[in-house]
């Protein structure tokens, strides 16, 4: 999303939020999505399409977040009345556990085509079943985008060998040129996988075990590792990192595959070469899915929104502008991904079905099965999430904290000196007037 568009969208959302209370809630749809996660014009097109389908007017209030946990807190603690939100897998799991989301009633679509059904991919359905072993997340959520977590790197300064291990993020050779995603779980997972690589190899732990591991010992080990990483980090970023990479301001970025894809294309257009690897030790695979929170007030329009996002042409538009892989397994989506001049054939039958045994698709977005097999799904930690968030603050905040205190102390000191000098100046002027 272009910056000006983003500013306009935020301003419009704020203005709309102020006036919404006066409006009939059935004519308003409150969408809460990740930033940089929808193509320009799609929101307007939804409003038109909704009217065509239902004969009812709808105004979308589109709001964005950058961090899963802050989005969740607005709903969990703030009971905000968003109608449709887009959390990641482990947050969907938590929302299911805490009964924060409503089951989807597809019959409410009436005679409108059901694009959700047409979009189904066997892989996505299966992974969604794994989100929560007791409740089938497919009945509560529809995947939007998905991907892996890996290393985006500048091929002029970094070799594929160097980028194929998570150890690269503390490699002193790249100090000052390393970006880390400001997403605690997506950093914790890969670091723990790296630290436990021997145990993974000899089979004493599995990737799945590590995704559930919130033990004090593992939290301390990851914290210790991240404190070694920190001196080389030039930014903990939610969205800006991809652009920094295209401008050569950083050479290594722990990032999501979709940001990597966007950055690789932008960079290529200005002569910068970037590539993306899922390190050999293993990683996480993530899915963001639409859900209707229990405090929603317009569940009908929310369902229509989810359906519209699955319409293949909309899924393709969102992918083409944002770079993230759509979770829609429709043949039109596969067709749009194929580029025989650019990519080698890979087996994507796991995602698109038997016809996709050898298709020329970008492996950054749709990795072949061997990469998927070394990636695991994150799981909710329940109460222990707090421990992770506080560890994350400690790691990111410690040095900045000291610097902040020093700056504050200097400002206070300077102000004190200024007032002392000023008042002694006044006193001496007064006494010299008296003397005259
Ligand atoms: C895009 C956010 C992507 C979220 N700005 C990945 N889980």
């Amino acid at each position: 999303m272009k910056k000006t568009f983003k500013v306009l969208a935020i301003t419009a959302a704020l203005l709309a939020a102020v006036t919404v209370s006066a409006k009939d809630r059935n004519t308003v749809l409150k969408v809460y999505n990740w930033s940089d996660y929808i193509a320009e014009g799609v929101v307007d097109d939804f409003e038109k399409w909704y009217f065509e389908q239902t004969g009812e007017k709808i105004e979308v209030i589109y709001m964005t977040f950058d961090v899963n946990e802050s989005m969740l807190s607005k709903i969990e603690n703030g009971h905000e009345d968003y109608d449709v939100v887009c959390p990641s897998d482990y947050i969907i799991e938590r929302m299911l556990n805490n009964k924060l989301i409503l089951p989807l009633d597809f019959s409410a679509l009436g005679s409108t085509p059901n694009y959700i059904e047409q979009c189904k991919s066997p892989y996505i359905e299966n992974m969604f079943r794994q989100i929560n072993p007791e409740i089938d997340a497919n009945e509560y959520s529809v995947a939007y985008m998905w991907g892996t977590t890996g290393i985006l790197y500048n091929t002029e300064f970094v070799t594929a060998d160097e980028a194929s291990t998570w150890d690269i993020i503390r490699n002193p050779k790249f100090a000052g040129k390393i970006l880390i995603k400001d997403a605690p779980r997506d950093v914790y997972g890969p670091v723990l996988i790296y630290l436990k690589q021997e145990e993974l190899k000899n089979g004493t732990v599995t990737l799945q075990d590590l995704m559930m591991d919130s033990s004090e010992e593992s939290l301390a080990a990851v914290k210790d590792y991240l404190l070694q990483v920190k001196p080389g980090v030039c930014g903990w970023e939610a969205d800006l990192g991809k652009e920094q990479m295209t401008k050569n301001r950083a050479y290594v970025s722990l990032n999501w595959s979709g940001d990597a894809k966007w950055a690789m294309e932008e960079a290529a257009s200005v002569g910068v070469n970037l590539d993306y690897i899922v390190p050999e030790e293993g990683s996480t695979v993530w899915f963001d899915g639409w859900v209707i929170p229990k405090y929603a007030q317009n569940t009908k329009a929310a369902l229509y929104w989810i359906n519209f996002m699955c319409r293949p042409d909309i899924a393709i538009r969102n992918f083409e502008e944002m770079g993230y892989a759509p979770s829609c397994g429709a043949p039109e989506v596969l067709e749009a991904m194929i580029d025989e001049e650019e990519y080698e054939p890979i087996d994507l039958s796991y995602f698109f079905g038997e016809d996709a045994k050898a298709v020329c698709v970008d492996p950054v977005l749709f990795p072949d099965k061997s990469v998927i097999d070394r990636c695991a799904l994150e799981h909710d930690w329940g109460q222990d999430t707090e421990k992770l968030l506080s560890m994350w603050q400690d790691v990111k905040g410690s040095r900045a904290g000291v610097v902040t205190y020093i700056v504050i102390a200097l400002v206070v000191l300077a102000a004190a000196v200024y007032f002392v000098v000023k008042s002694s100046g006044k006193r001496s002027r007064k006494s010299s007037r008296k003397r005259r």
Side-chain angles (χ1 to χ4, degrees):
M1 206 184 298
K2 307 264 166 1
K3 275 205 186 93
T4 36
F5 175 66
K6 205 165 166 179
V7 171
L8 285 176
I10 292 171
T11 316
L14 286 175
L15 282 176
V18 174
T19 47
V20 72
S21 51
K23 281 192 186 151
D24 175 1
R25 206 46 184 79
N26 291 330
T27 63
V28 169
L29 176 71
K30 292 192 181 178
V31 179
Y32 200 26
N33 192 11
W34 290 89
S35 50
D36 280 3
Y37 224 27
I38 197 163
E40 219 166 322
V42 167
V43 171
D44 292 346
D45 290 354
F46 169 75
E47 290 177 346
K48 286 184 211 124
W49 175 81
Y50 187 77
F51 184 72
E52 281 159 25
Q53 295 297 317
T54 63
E56 294 160 24
K57 282 207 157 129
I58 195 79
E59 183 192 338
V60 174
I61 299 185
Y62 188 84
M63 291 159 278
T64 60
F65 60 87
D66 287 320
V67 178
N68 260 314
E69 287 73 12
S70 59
M71 178 278 298
L72 178 67
S73 155
K74 295 245 171 78
I75 295 171
E76 212 167 49
N77 308 318
H79 301 186
E80 295 268 358
D81 64 344
Y82 304 119
D83 297 308
V84 59
V85 301
C86 190
S88 301
D89 36 60
Y90 67 99
I91 299 284
I92 298 178
E93 177 179 356
R94 182 177 174 120
M95 292 177 96
L96 280 173
N97 288 343
N98 295 350
K99 301 200 172 8
L100 283 172
I101 41 183
L102 302 174
L104 301 170
D105 172 13
F106 300 117
S107 69
L109 290 175
S111 59
T112 297
N114 184 333
Y115 301 115
I116 300 169
E117 197 58 45
Q118 292 174 24
C119 253
K120 288 208 160 137
S121 146
Y123 175 64
I124 298 283
E125 275 201 286
N126 179 36
M127 292 309 281
F128 265 54
R129 249 176 251 124
Q130 291 178 28
I131 285 181
N132 187 318
E134 274 137 44
I135 317 166
D136 184 357
N138 290 294
E139 288 168 20
Y140 290 79
S141 178
V142 174
Y144 180 48
M145 310 274 193
W146 75 289
T148 53
T149 304
I151 294 291
L152 170 67
Y153 64 100
N154 187 316
T155 58
E156 195 184 326
F157 306 100
V158 184
T159 66
D161 233 28
E162 286 167 328
S164 63
T165 165
W166 290 112
D167 200 32
I168 190 170
I169 60 173
R170 66 166 178 187
N171 187 336
K173 190 171 158 194
F174 307 114
K177 294 285 181 189
I178 297 168
L179 288 163
I180 304 287
K181 196 51 93 185
D182 191 3
R185 281 299 301 267
D186 294 345
V187 176
Y188 180 91
V191 170
L192 189 61
I193 290 171
Y194 172 75
L195 294 174
K196 299 272 180 176
Q197 56 185 297
E198 287 313 316
E199 290 89 327
L200 279 167
K201 270 189 216 141
N202 64 31
T204 43
V205 290
T206 65
L207 281 173
Q208 279 310 319
D209 296 336
L210 297 184
M211 295 298 105
M212 302 297 290
D213 183 355
S214 58
S215 64
E216 296 292 342
E217 185 209 341
S218 293
L219 274 158
V222 172
K223 179 176 181 176
D224 182 57
Y225 189 86
L226 288 174
L227 288 171
Q228 295 167 41
V229 167
K230 188 177 170 177
V233 172
C234 63
W236 308 83
E237 58 87 24
D239 257 326
L240 293 176
K242 51 184 189 235
E243 222 170 304
Q244 304 285 311
M245 291 294 290
T246 65
K247 294 184 174 149
N248 262 345
R249 297 206 181 118
Y251 303 154
V252 174
S253 166
L254 185 159
N255 216 322
W256 296 311
S257 45
D259 273 14
K261 168 81 179 167
W262 184 93
M264 284 162 70
E265 287 195 348
E266 283 290 306
S269 68
V270 293
V272 173
N273 283 323
L274 303 179
D275 210 342
Y276 175 80
I277 276 185
V278 174
E280 288 304 321
E281 298 96 4
S283 186
T284 56
V285 59
W286 52 264
F287 304 85
D288 297 332
W290 296 109
V291 297
I292 304 182
K294 82 167 192 194
Y295 306 108
Q297 299 211 10
N298 194 344
T299 55
K300 176 180 169 186
L303 189 72
Y304 271 78
W305 171 271
I306 299 175
N307 195 28
F308 189 65
M309 292 302 131
C310 290
R311 209 173 82 180
D313 62 311
I314 298 297
I316 293 166
R317 253 169 85 186
N318 285 335
F319 149 72
E320 282 176 347
E321 193 165 321
M322 306 323 314
Y324 278 88
S327 300
C328 176
E332 296 94 315
V333 170
L334 174 59
E335 198 53 43
M337 298 286 152
I338 291 176
D339 185 340
E340 280 164 7
E341 275 161 33
E342 196 72 29
Y343 309 114
E344 298 293 313
I346 46 174
D347 181 358
L348 294 186
S349 54
Y350 75 91
F351 195 94
F352 290 104
E354 284 308 298
D355 290 346
K357 276 224 170 303
V359 284
C360 301
V361 169
D362 188 350
V364 169
L365 293 181
F366 287 89
D368 75 30
K369 200 69 175 44
S370 64
V371 176
I372 292 294
D373 286 346
R374 61 172 192 270
C375 292
L377 190 67
E378 289 168 30
H379 282 286
D380 176 39
W381 284 4
Q383 299 298 324
D384 282 357
T385 305
E386 286 309 315
K387 292 188 202 161
L388 173 79
L389 298 182
S390 104
M391 178 275 270
W392 189 246
Q393 283 318 323
D394 286 352
V395 168
K396 282 197 318 173
S398 52
R399 196 176 347 143
V402 173
V403 173
T404 312
Y405 289 132
I406 294 173
V407 170
I408 292 173
L410 285 176
V411 170
V412 170
L413 190 70
V417 169
Y418 174 79
F419 284 116
V420 168
V421 169
K422 208 172 160 195
S423 58
S424 73
K426 268 188 196 157
R427 266 199 308 275
S428 62
R429 274 198 300 280
K430 261 189 198 163
S431 54
S432 68
R433 268 203 302 273
K434 264 187 197 163
R435 275 199 301 273
R436 270 193 257 130

